[in-house]
């Protein structure tokens, strides 16, 4: 910890030295006001951005004051475009000229309320469904009608290159991914848990970062998915109720609210969800080497019922101490309970496929999981534009209790007397304490340059105590199994620091950086007296280049390179034995080492301003050394397979991606994504390769009567795994949304998930000792109804004492002071 604090001090001293050496240009100001076109009232907290007219690059920006005024400092002479945006109003752009030696008054910009009627079809102002930035793809959550009433997991099912398996595990281009919430690692632990706790209605947008820069933590070879939550900061209040249900046995409800009063912005949400999920599985295996009981063929069929309920929320406030200092405090909590029943029919056959024995296994379990999370953040902006210092501290505590029972009864051909059933009872207690501390400093230099530096520490401590007891029929009581039981303590401490430098030479912008991370992974099994003690230091360089075409500023070419790491997690390192499936045992591997990835990507994008169409193409290459994956081996004596994670092979991925957003008319748009990829696994024991492709697409119609319809679908061809393939997967969803009231405050949505009932997860394994096919199916076809109601008032004068309205003479006097009449979408 001491070395971490010393590193933080050195970085900040270096950052301030860079800033001290930067010269500040002659200070010219651009001032103005923003008001409502109908009422003339000033609009507070509107966004004012100054863009260069030549290439539309951002120069500076600010938010309006309570009086509607704004001031942009340190502007050099030239021709610019002012862009004004605020929630509920149409965007306004105005061309201005800044003359040397003279401050510029841009006048009063009067904003029109958003929304207009065209050919009996109502069009409302909305964000683009998809956009491309230098390092990420951005997807607007409000456009995903199919996810209404769902969770963050349902939202990600609509994102291209993102795969969500039957257990809700998330991968990006087939690789592990790190989930962020509002730009920070999720406080709720693993990605699956984090996404299930977030209602879809509370998400503003989803950002997919395939090649993160050195600013981000390096874990996750697939990249980062950042979930940005909705949060209003305008003066006033905003409340949203949401309730829904689904035919598969699901009910949900949530409340989101925010209140901004001068220097305080209070926000909070609370949500609850209950679901009853059913599923089935079918596995068939051919043992190429018969086991000791002469079993050559084995099959099992399973049916399961899962009852899950959770509720929780997040509450907090922003305190705007002054124009430069902002504090944010928030508290989150979540309570989860689940009850699961799984019944498995077992069938053992000889080489002639005659039954040798069969059995029935029932597994039941219940789980209670509680999570609390506390966050404190601070932001300081300096007198120099775009210079800021941020700091963040988060603590998360999680406790889980699990109880389960396994009962198996076997029946033998030609035997009348049944053997005693195998009975097992398990209890598990798990606690997780997680600290996350981070600080970043950003400062511009020169005309286009920027330097970023930061430090971070993540400290995790896990205590796990799993006790497995087997029923002893001789004493008619349970006795603890030392082989299956395991008490385990685990600590993971990661310290990181980075520096990024960005600048531009003509039309070529660049960003180069490096991140250093020191990792300590320590684990100790009390039950088995075994230790894991890994420590490693890594450097992660990154390079981003962006070239704006000189003849068409709406085109850009981007190249990026980054390095990533997959560290073995607690579940993989834990020396456990999971025998919930008696013929397919799963274990951990304390000897796992991290896997390093090198990633390259080149992308080209073009925006068509007249039609708002967007095209993005890219090609990429990734290589992961010592790739971590699971491998299964067959015990030819017992006929039981054991699956464990291992550092298996070098994995190579070469691919291309094409995305196109097409606005056919004002009320009809189409979006599609095609991903092509060649995958190869190479090692002494594993060699596998294939060509795969995936297609995502949807079409949306905005119809009369404020109806919106979305039809979306996806298809993914077979993808390799070390010992076989994941079979092809496809599905299609339909969503209908209707907006009510003049303010569109009431929204009713009906979704039909997996219309064709084709969503199934299947795999094929082929080794030297066995061949196995495995199919799993969940109740994926269902109808969901969701109702959302929102009300509020955003008014900068809401909490002020009313003042007498100015008379007509005062209004005329104000207009005379303006140097020019406002002009929308102008160019000089």
């Amino acid at each position: 910890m001491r070395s971490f604090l010393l590193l933080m001090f050195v970085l900040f001293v270096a950052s301030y030295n860079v800033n001290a050496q930067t010269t500040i240009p002659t200070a010219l100001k651009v001032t103005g006001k923003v008001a409502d076109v109908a009422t003339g009232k000033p609009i507070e907290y509107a966004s004012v951005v100054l863009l260069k007219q030549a290439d539309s690059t951002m120069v500076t920006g600010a938010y309006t004051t309570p009086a509607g005024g704004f001031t942009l400092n340190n502007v050099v002479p030239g021709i610019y475009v002012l862009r004004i945006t605020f929630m509920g109003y149409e965007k306004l752009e105005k061309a201005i000229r800044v003359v040397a030696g003279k401050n510029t008054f841009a006048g009063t910009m009067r904003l029109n309320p958003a929304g207009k009627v065209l050919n009996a079809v109502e069009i409302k102002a909305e964000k683009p469904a998809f956009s491309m930035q230098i390092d990420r793809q951005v997807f607007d959550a409000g456009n995903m009608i199919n996810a209404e009433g769902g969770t963050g997991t349902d939202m990600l099912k609509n994102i291209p290159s993102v795969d969500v398996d039957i257990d809700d595990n998330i991968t990006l281009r087939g690789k592990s991914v790190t989930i962020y919430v509002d730009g920070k690692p999720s406080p709720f632990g693993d990605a699956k848990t984090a996404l299930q706790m977030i209602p879809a209605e509370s998400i503003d947008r989803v950002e997919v970062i395939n090649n993160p820069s050195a600013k981000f933590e390096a874990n996750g070879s697939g990249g980062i998915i950042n979930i940005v939550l909705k949060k209003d900061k305008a003066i006033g209040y905003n409340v949203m109720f949401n309730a829904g249900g689904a035919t598969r046995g699901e009910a949900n409800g949530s409340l989101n609210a925010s209140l901004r009063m001068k220097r305080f912005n209070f926000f909070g949400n609370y949500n609850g969800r209950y679901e009853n999920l059913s599923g089935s599985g079918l596995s068939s295996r051919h043992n190429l080497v018969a086991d000791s009981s002469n079993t050559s063929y084995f099959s099992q069929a399973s049916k399961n019922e899962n009852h899950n309920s959770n509720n929780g929320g997040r509450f907090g406030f922003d305190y705007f101490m002054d124009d430069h200092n902002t504090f944010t405090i928030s508290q989150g909590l979540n309570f989860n309970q689940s009850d699961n029943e799984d019944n498995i029919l077992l069938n053992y056959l000889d080489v002639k496929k005659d039954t040798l024995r069969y059995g029935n296994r029932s597994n039941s379990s219940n789980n209670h999981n509680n999570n609390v999370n506390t966050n404190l953040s601070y932001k300081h902006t300096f007198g120099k534009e775009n210079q800021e210092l941020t700091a963040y501290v988060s603590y998360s505590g999680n406790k889980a209790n699990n109880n389960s029972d396994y009962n198996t009864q076997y029946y033998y051909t030609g035997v009348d007397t049944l053997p005693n059933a195998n009975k097992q009872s398990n209890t598990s207690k798990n606690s997780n304490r997680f600290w996350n501390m981070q600080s970043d400093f950003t400062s511009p230099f020169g005309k286009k340059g920027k330097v970023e530096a930061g430090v971070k520490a993540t400290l995790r401590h896990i205590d796990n105590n799993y006790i497995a007891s087997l029923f002893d029929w001789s004493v008619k009581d349970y006795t603890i199994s030392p082989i299956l039981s395991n008490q385990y303590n685990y600590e993971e401490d990661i310290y990181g620091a980075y520096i990024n430098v960005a600048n531009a030479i003509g039309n070529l912008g660049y960003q180069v950086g490096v991140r250093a991370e020191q990792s300590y992974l320590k684990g100790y099994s009390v039950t088995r007296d075994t230790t894991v003690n890994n420590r490693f230091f890594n450097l992660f360089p990154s390079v981003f280049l962006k070239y704006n075409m000189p003849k068409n500023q709406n085109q850009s070419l981007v190249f990026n390179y980054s390095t990533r790491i997959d560290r073995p997690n607690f579940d993989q390192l834990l020396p456990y034995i999971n025998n919930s499936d008696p013929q397919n045992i799963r274990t951990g591997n304390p000897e796992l080492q991290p896997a390093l990835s090198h990633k390259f990507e080149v992308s080209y994008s073009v925006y068509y301003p007249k039609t708002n169409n967007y095209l993005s193409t890219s090609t990429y290459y990734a290589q992961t050394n010592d790739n971590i994956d699971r491998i299964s081996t067959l015990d030819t004596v017992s006929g039981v397979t054991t699956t464990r994670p291992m550092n298996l092979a070098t994995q190579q991925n070469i691919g291309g991606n094409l995305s196109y957003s097409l606005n056919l008319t004002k009320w009809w748009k189409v979006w599609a994504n095609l991903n092509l990829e060649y995958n190869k696994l190479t090692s002494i024991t594993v060699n596998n390769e294939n060509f795969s492709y995936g297609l995502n697409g949807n079409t949306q119609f905005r119809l009369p009567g404020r109806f919106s319809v979305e039809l979306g679908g996806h298809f993914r061809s077979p993808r390799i795994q070390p010992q076989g393939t994941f079979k092809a997967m496809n599905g299609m969803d339909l969503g209908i949304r209707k907006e009510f009231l003049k303010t569109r405050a009431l929204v009713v949505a009906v979704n039909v998930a997996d219309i064709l009932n084709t969503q199934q997860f299947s795999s094929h394994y082929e080794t030297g000792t066995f061949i196995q096919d495995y199919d799993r199916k969940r109740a994926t076809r269902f109808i969901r109804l969701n109702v959302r109601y929102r009300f509020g008032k955003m008014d900068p004068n809401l909490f002020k004492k009313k003042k007498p309205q100015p008379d007509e003479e005062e209004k005329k006097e104000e207009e005379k002071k303006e140097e020019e009449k406002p002009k929308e979408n102008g160019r000089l």
Side-chain angles (χ1 to χ4, degrees):
M1 191 67 175
R2 185 177 301 172
S3 60
F4 171 76
L5 294 174
L6 178 61
L7 184 58
M8 179 185 290
F9 175 77
V10 171
L11 275 173
F12 279 123
V13 169
S15 300
Y16 274 107
N17 285 338
V18 171
N19 175 52
Q21 297 170 11
T22 303
T23 58
I24 301 176
T26 305
L28 290 177
K29 295 182 179 181
V30 175
T31 60
K33 293 182 179 181
V34 179
D36 185 286
V37 69
T39 65
K41 291 183 178 181
I43 298 176
E44 183 188 9
Y45 224 81
S47 171
V48 182
V49 177
L50 188 67
L51 308 172
K52 287 186 177 180
Q53 188 190 56
D55 56 10
S56 296
T57 57
M58 177 177 170
V59 178
T60 184
Y63 290 106
T64 55
T65 66
F70 64 87
T71 300
L72 305 175
N73 297 309
N74 302 325
V75 180
V76 299
I79 300 175
Y80 300 91
V81 175
L82 271 174
R83 178 180 293 169
I84 317 294
T85 57
F86 187 68
M87 182 182 64
Y89 288 88
E90 293 180 351
K91 177 179 69 177
L92 185 147
E93 290 184 347
K94 175 182 178 180
I96 63 169
R97 185 190 301 275
V98 177
V99 182
K102 180 181 179 182
N103 292 328
T104 303
F105 178 63
T108 300
M109 265 60 70
R110 303 186 184 277
L111 302 187
N112 291 298
K116 59 183 179 180
V117 178
L118 181 62
N119 296 332
V121 179
E122 189 164 279
I123 309 297
K124 70 174 184 178
E126 59 182 21
K127 295 178 288 185
F130 165 78
S131 62
M132 187 78 181
Q133 299 180 10
I134 186 172
D135 65 341
R136 69 193 66 189
Q137 295 172 307
V138 182
F139 300 87
D140 175 39
N143 280 280
M144 300 180 189
I145 303 175
N146 289 329
E148 291 262 7
T151 65
T153 304
D154 298 300
M155 190 73 71
L156 291 188
K157 292 176 182 177
N158 293 273
I159 304 296
S161 301
V162 175
D163 287 325
V164 183
D165 68 14
I166 194 169
D167 298 312
D168 290 338
N169 297 306
I170 312 297
T171 56
L172 180 59
R173 290 179 179 171
K175 299 282 191 175
S176 65
V177 66
T178 299
I179 298 296
Y180 275 26
V181 178
D182 286 336
K184 304 175 182 67
S186 166
F188 301 115
D190 64 284
K192 178 171 65 175
T193 304
L195 292 167
Q196 290 173 345
M197 292 181 180
I198 303 175
E201 285 69 34
S202 65
I203 299 175
D204 179 66
R205 64 185 184 274
V206 177
E207 299 177 343
V208 177
I209 311 173
N210 290 295
N211 278 14
S213 71
K215 181 176 182 178
F216 299 94
E217 64 175 314
N219 195 50
S221 58
I224 293 172
I225 296 177
N226 183 33
I227 307 295
V228 182
L229 303 179
K230 294 176 181 176
K231 190 176 178 182
D232 295 315
K233 288 188 177 181
I235 292 290
Y237 63 91
N238 186 43
V239 180
M240 182 177 71
F241 293 96
N242 185 80
T247 54
R248 63 178 178 178
E250 176 185 308
N252 69 85
S254 65
L255 168 65
N256 291 267
S258 65
L259 173 65
R260 173 75 192 273
M261 301 174 61
K262 295 183 179 179
R263 297 195 179 277
F264 284 93
N265 178 53
F266 298 93
F267 55 88
N269 67 75
Y270 202 88
N271 63 84
R273 181 176 296 273
Y274 172 81
E275 55 186 6
N276 179 14
L277 304 177
S278 61
S280 61
L282 179 63
S283 174
S284 59
R285 188 175 75 212
H286 177 200
N287 294 343
L288 302 179
V289 180
D291 63 20
S292 58
S293 62
N294 294 320
T295 301
S296 293
Y297 295 92
F298 166 74
S299 66
Q300 62 182 33
S302 64
K303 290 186 177 181
N304 55 74
E305 291 281 343
N306 303 310
H307 306 270
N308 303 314
S309 63
N310 69 75
N311 68 96
R314 179 171 174 262
F315 312 90
F317 66 89
D318 302 303
Y319 172 52
F320 306 95
M321 188 168 67
D322 51 39
D323 291 340
H324 296 286
N325 297 282
T326 302
F327 292 90
T328 301
I329 299 175
S330 67
Q331 178 66 49
L333 65 161
N334 187 270
F335 309 96
N336 181 278
Q337 180 176 339
S338 63
D339 296 283
N340 307 308
E341 294 285 343
D342 195 1
N343 291 291
I344 308 173
L345 298 178
L346 311 168
N347 198 13
Y348 302 80
L349 310 173
D350 62 17
V351 68
K352 297 180 181 180
K353 296 189 177 181
D354 293 329
T355 300
L356 296 171
R357 60 171 175 154
Y358 59 97
N360 189 338
R361 182 177 177 93
S362 63
N363 298 340
S364 62
S365 65
N366 62 80
N367 180 274
H368 298 267
N369 190 322
N370 300 329
N371 182 288
V372 295
N373 173 252
T374 305
N375 300 278
L376 173 64
S377 64
Y378 167 71
K379 179 179 179 180
H380 174 76
T381 59
F382 297 84
K384 186 177 180 180
E385 291 293 333
N386 299 320
Q387 185 183 67
E388 67 178 34
L389 170 69
T390 61
Y392 172 81
V393 178
S394 171
Y395 169 77
S396 179
N398 178 280
K399 289 186 177 182
N401 296 316
N402 180 275
N403 299 287
S404 59
D405 292 285
Y406 307 153
N407 295 288
T408 309
Q409 180 66 64
Y410 288 105
Y411 304 84
Y412 291 83
T413 302
V415 177
D416 295 330
T417 304
L418 296 179
N420 291 326
N422 296 329
K423 300 174 67 176
Q424 178 179 332
S425 182
N426 315 295
T427 61
S428 175
K429 292 186 177 181
N430 182 283
S431 66
N432 184 342
R433 300 186 298 277
F434 178 39
W435 284 93
N436 183 10
M437 296 166 282
Q438 181 176 339
S439 183
D440 301 276
F441 177 74
T442 302
S443 179
F445 64 89
K447 294 182 178 181
K448 300 180 180 179
K450 181 178 70 172
V451 61
E452 299 175 299
V455 289
K456 182 178 182 179
T458 57
L459 314 174
R460 187 188 299 274
H461 184 93
I462 299 176
D463 294 316
N464 183 80
N465 189 10
Y466 176 74
I467 300 175
S469 301
L470 302 178
F471 192 81
D472 188 340
W473 287 95
S474 62
V475 297
K476 292 185 172 23
D477 198 4
Y478 284 95
T479 58
I480 295 177
S481 169
I483 297 176
L484 297 176
S485 301
N486 191 23
Q487 182 179 349
Y488 195 79
N489 303 319
Y490 177 76
E491 290 185 12
E492 179 184 276
D493 298 342
I494 300 173
Y495 303 93
Y498 76 92
I499 184 167
N500 267 336
V501 177
N503 209 335
I505 303 174
N507 288 316
L508 178 65
Y510 65 86
Q511 176 183 286
V512 294
V514 64
R515 184 179 188 88
E517 289 188 350
Q518 176 69 59
S519 305
Y520 301 91
L521 308 181
K522 300 177 182 179
Y524 176 66
S525 174
V526 178
T527 307
R528 303 184 183 184
D529 193 24
T530 58
T531 302
V532 173
N533 191 357
N534 291 338
R535 55 183 297 173
F536 36 87
F537 175 83
N538 300 98
L539 290 175
F540 303 96
S542 65
V543 178
F544 289 79
L545 303 175
K546 182 179 181 181
Y547 182 71
N548 293 314
M549 305 298 181
K551 294 184 179 181
N552 187 346
Q553 294 296 314
N554 291 315
Q555 299 183 53
S556 63
L557 185 65
V558 176
F559 165 82
N560 56 59
Y561 162 76
S562 67
T563 50
R564 306 288 293 169
I565 189 171
D566 283 321
R567 298 186 187 90
N569 58 41
F570 167 72
D571 291 334
Q572 293 173 320
L573 290 170
L574 182 65
Y576 68 94
I577 297 177
N578 184 332
N579 65 334
S580 59
D581 182 343
Q583 290 300 129
N584 299 281
I585 294 176
R586 288 171 291 164
T587 71
N589 183 2
E591 298 179 359
L592 279 179
Q593 296 298 312
L596 290 171
S597 297
H598 299 270
K599 306 181 67 177
F600 302 82
E601 186 163 1
V602 179
S603 62
Y604 166 78
S605 60
V606 56
Y607 172 69
Y608 304 95
K610 292 184 179 180
T611 59
N612 286 328
N613 295 339
Y614 195 92
L615 171 67
S616 173
T617 63
S618 65
T619 181
Y620 58 88
Y621 171 79
Q623 177 172 315
T624 303
N625 301 318
D626 295 323
N627 183 58
I628 298 175
D629 215 324
R630 294 186 175 273
I631 194 166
S632 300
T633 57
L634 175 68
D635 186 329
T636 56
V637 176
S638 65
V640 174
T641 61
T642 300
T643 303
R644 70 197 303 248
M646 297 180 66
N647 294 105
L648 285 177
T650 296
Q651 182 172 6
Q652 295 173 298
N653 307 87
I654 304 173
N657 190 275
L658 173 66
S659 293
Y660 193 57
S661 178
L662 176 63
N663 292 274
L664 296 172
T665 68
K666 293 289 186 180
W667 51 270
W668 182 14
K669 60 184 178 182
V670 177
W671 176 83
N673 177 269
L674 173 65
N675 191 74
L676 307 173
E677 189 171 275
Y678 169 74
N679 307 281
K680 185 176 182 180
L681 287 168
T682 307
S683 74
I684 298 176
T685 57
V686 174
N687 286 280
N688 203 356
E689 59 184 320
N690 85 330
F691 174 81
S692 64
Y693 62 94
L695 179 64
N696 295 66
N698 69 44
T699 181
Q700 288 190 4
F701 303 91
R702 190 176 297 280
L703 304 177
R706 295 181 179 176
F707 276 97
S708 298
V709 178
E710 178 185 43
L711 180 65
H714 64 90
F715 176 84
R716 194 203 69 199
S717 69
R719 171 178 286 167
I720 63 169
Q721 55 179 324
Q723 295 173 298
T725 59
F726 296 106
K727 296 181 181 179
M729 191 170 61
N730 66 91
M732 185 176 293
D733 305 313
L734 173 68
I736 302 173
R737 182 163 61 192
K738 163 70 174 174
E739 297 170 325
F740 296 87
L741 308 180
K742 291 183 178 181
T743 59
R744 306 174 185 268
L746 178 63
V747 178
V748 178
V750 177
N751 301 327
V752 184
D754 195 15
I755 300 173
L756 304 178
N757 199 27
T758 55
Q759 190 78 20
Q760 181 167 306
F761 299 84
S762 304
S763 59
H764 174 77
Y765 296 86
E766 192 164 333
T767 74
T769 55
F770 72 92
I771 299 173
Q772 179 170 302
D773 287 281
Y774 193 29
D775 300 314
R776 296 178 66 189
K777 175 69 177 168
R778 184 181 283 180
T780 54
R781 182 164 62 180
F782 59 89
I783 301 174
R784 176 187 284 141
L785 173 67
N786 194 71
V787 180
R788 185 171 76 248
Y789 178 66
R790 185 169 187 165
F791 66 91
K793 188 174 184 181
M794 299 299 174
D795 186 347
N797 299 309
L798 185 63
F799 301 105
K800 294 181 179 180
K801 293 181 179 179
K802 292 185 177 181
K803 297 180 180 180
Q805 296 293 325
D807 56 26
E808 292 299 321
E809 291 297 325
E810 291 176 335
K811 288 184 179 180
K812 292 180 180 180
E813 191 66 29
E814 179 187 349
E815 296 294 335
K816 290 180 180 179
K817 295 180 181 179
E818 298 184 1
E819 296 184 2
E820 62 180 310
K821 186 178 179 180
K823 179 174 60 176
E824 295 186 11
N825 302 318
R827 292 278 182 177
L828 295 181

